[in-house]
């Protein structure tokens, strides 16, 4: 049995010519060595009301029916669900992972979401589509950052125990400051490496004493197991780091000069928060409840590294686990 093949453009030209000559469907089929049903179906599906049967028009109609497009182009409900989560600040990988966790099967890949957004950006020439993406970039790629040297009298990050680098043990933090175009005010960002929980404290000015006191007040209520160490870059605002060691017993470590990427957790957190807090933001005009909502959205977004649980879920398990250990309850 011969395998069926689609009609070619040349065959469609022959159909049009023979049809104009007054031949029947069976005569055309015999000439082209095709089944009469094939010719009948071709004429029925690809004949225009006004132009009749034209080879170019028939070829275009067939191509249009065979084009399926992106999965998100075809599935309106899935597209709306994906765009809603992108608007909420989720990354494509978080969306794909959460769908798989909820449905128990792979629903869509993160690469499909990326390709859909970039296809829309190219097709519509509307740069607003980039705002759906975590870094809001026109083109995909990586960017690097620099720093400045301040290392005297500080414990190097290379002296940290290997357990901290593995992220498997909770209680190890990273801190940095989120700066804005307006000079002076900033946000002090603290990030826990295991759970990825991220906290922010407004700072009117980046004074070393104030920064150290804020971090002390932030970490003091936690169980000792959840505040073992903290890593900084070489900014002068962390000059009073020894207060954390003396008052809370926290070990402090510092990145190499011009290498803030060595505390990648808090750098990544700041990059994600930039979507809601761009550099043009004036921190003094941001209401406390607005900042709380931004942090709540960040901490309740699932993460691939956590098995698509959220940082809030993970940290709550750690926190309550420490509270329930023997000797941790009030006596």
């Amino acid at each position: 049995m011969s395998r069926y093949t689609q009609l070619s453009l040349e065959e469609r030209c022959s159909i049009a010519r023979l049809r104009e000559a007054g031949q029947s469907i069976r005569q055309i089929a015999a000439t082209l060595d095709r089944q009469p049903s094939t010719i009948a179906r071709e004429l029925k599906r690809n004949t225009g009301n006004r132009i009749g049967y034209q080879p170019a028009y028939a070829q275009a109609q067939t191509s249009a029916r065979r084009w399926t497009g992106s999965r998100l182009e075809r599935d309106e409900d899935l597209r709306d669900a994906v765009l809603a989560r992108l608007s909420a600040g989720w990354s494509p990988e978080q969306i794909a992972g959460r769908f798989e966790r909820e449905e128990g099967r792979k629903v869509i890949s993160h690469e499909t979401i990326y390709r859909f957004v970039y296809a829309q950006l190219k097709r519509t020439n509307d740069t607003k589509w980039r705002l759906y993406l975590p870094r809001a970039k026109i083109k995909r790629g990586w960017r690097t950052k620099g720093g400045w040297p301040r290392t005297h009298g500080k414990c190097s990050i290379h002296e940290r125990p290997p357990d901290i680098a593995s992220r498997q043990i909770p209680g190890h933090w990273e801190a940095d400051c989120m700066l804005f175009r307006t000079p002076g005010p900033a946000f002090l960002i603290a990030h826990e490496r295991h759970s990825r929980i991220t906290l922010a404290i407004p700072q009117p000015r980046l004074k070393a004493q104030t920064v150290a006191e804020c971090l002390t007040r932030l970490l003091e209520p936690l169980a000792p197991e959840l505040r073992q160490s903290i890593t900084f870059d070489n900014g002068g605002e962390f000059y009073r780091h020894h207060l954390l060691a003396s008052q809370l017993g926290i070990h402090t470590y510092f990145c190499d000069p011009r290498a803030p990427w060595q505390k990648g957790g808090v750098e990544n957190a700041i990059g994600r928060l930039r979507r809601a807090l761009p550099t043009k933001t004036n921190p003094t005009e941001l209401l406390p409840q607005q900042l709380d909502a931004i942090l709540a959205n960040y901490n309740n977004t699932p993460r691939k590294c956590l098995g698509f649980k959220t940082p809030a879920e993970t940290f709550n398990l750690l926190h309550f686990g420490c509270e329930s250990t023997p000797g941790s309850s009030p006596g």
Side-chain angles (χ1 to χ4, degrees):
M1 180 182 291
S2 61
R3 185 177 179 181
Y4 175 79
T5 58
Q6 293 287 334
L7 290 170
S8 65
L9 180 59
E10 290 77 8
E11 288 178 309
R12 290 190 167 98
C13 291
S14 298
I15 292 173
R17 185 179 66 256
L18 295 172
R19 187 71 170 169
E20 289 178 0
Q23 293 196 15
S24 68
I25 290 176
R26 289 187 177 276
Q27 289 173 326
I28 297 173
T31 302
L32 298 179
D33 193 20
R34 290 279 190 170
Q35 292 293 326
S37 60
T38 299
I39 305 302
R41 184 169 56 248
E42 171 69 14
L43 293 171
K44 181 178 179 180
R45 299 179 73 186
N46 296 327
T47 298
N49 292 331
R50 296 184 179 180
I51 64 173
Y53 184 82
Q54 297 290 335
Y57 174 79
Q59 189 78 10
Q61 288 292 99
T62 303
S63 299
R65 279 194 296 269
R66 294 181 66 187
W67 181 82
T68 57
S70 164
R71 169 82 182 281
L72 294 176
E73 293 276 8
R74 292 180 279 119
D75 192 332
E76 184 177 353
D77 292 337
L78 180 60
R79 181 174 69 248
D80 291 343
V82 168
L83 292 178
R85 286 165 172 78
L86 287 172
S87 299
W90 294 28
S91 72
E93 195 169 37
Q94 290 166 344
I95 295 170
R98 191 67 175 194
F99 274 142
E100 185 172 357
R101 184 181 182 90
E102 292 174 350
E103 300 292 332
R105 60 182 179 84
K106 188 170 184 178
V107 177
I108 193 170
S109 72
H110 66 278
E111 185 63 26
T112 298
I113 300 175
Y114 272 114
R115 287 180 178 176
F116 170 74
V117 174
Y118 279 108
Q120 299 306 310
L121 210 162
K122 183 176 181 181
R123 182 177 64 83
T124 64
N125 201 26
D126 183 359
T127 58
K128 290 183 180 179
W129 276 95
R130 67 185 177 84
L131 300 178
Y132 278 116
L133 299 174
R135 300 289 182 180
K137 295 194 291 185
I138 296 292
K139 295 183 179 180
R140 301 174 74 172
W142 298 95
R143 291 181 290 189
T144 59
K145 298 182 179 179
W148 51 89
R150 284 181 181 268
T151 58
H152 181 67
K154 300 178 176 69
C155 188
S156 170
I157 193 172
H158 301 293
E159 299 179 35
R160 288 193 318 186
D163 304 355
I164 300 177
S166 69
R167 293 181 179 268
Q168 298 303 310
I169 299 178
H172 301 287
W173 295 76
E174 296 174 353
D176 202 353
C177 290
M178 190 175 185
L179 305 179
F180 298 90
R181 190 176 299 168
T182 304
F187 289 141
L188 175 62
I189 308 295
H191 174 86
E192 203 275 319
R193 287 175 55 83
H194 176 76
S195 66
R196 275 72 170 182
I197 197 79
T198 299
L199 309 173
I201 309 171
Q203 300 288 299
R205 286 195 174 277
L206 292 180
K207 293 186 177 181
Q209 184 69 25
T210 306
V211 168
E213 291 173 353
C214 285
L215 285 173
T216 301
R217 289 196 301 270
L218 179 69
L219 300 177
E220 188 174 15
L222 300 178
E225 295 89 344
L226 295 181
R227 48 174 172 84
Q228 300 183 53
S229 78
I230 189 165
T231 302
F232 305 109
D233 59 23
N234 290 279
E237 61 270 18
F238 302 119
Y239 181 76
R240 302 281 184 179
H241 63 96
H242 54 84
L243 295 178
L244 293 167
S246 61
Q247 297 185 23
L248 301 179
I250 298 177
H251 298 285
T252 58
Y253 300 95
F254 287 81
C255 299
D256 293 333
R258 297 176 295 278
W261 49 266
Q262 291 176 334
K263 52 176 181 52
V266 70
E267 292 287 328
N268 178 268
I270 290 176
R272 290 173 181 268
L273 289 172
R274 280 293 183 198
R275 301 184 66 186
L277 297 168
T279 55
K280 64 181 180 181
T281 304
N282 187 342
T284 60
E285 297 178 355
L286 195 71
L287 298 177
Q289 53 266 35
Q290 291 177 306
L291 179 59
D292 291 343
I294 292 170
L295 291 173
N297 181 64
Y298 175 90
N299 289 319
N300 286 284
T301 299
R303 303 293 299 273
K304 178 183 179 181
C305 54
L306 301 176
F308 293 101
K309 292 190 292 184
T310 68
E313 291 170 344
T314 307
F315 188 76
N316 283 337
L317 290 174
L318 296 174
H319 181 62
F320 292 131
C322 288
E323 286 189 341
S324 62
T325 54
S328 61
S329 58

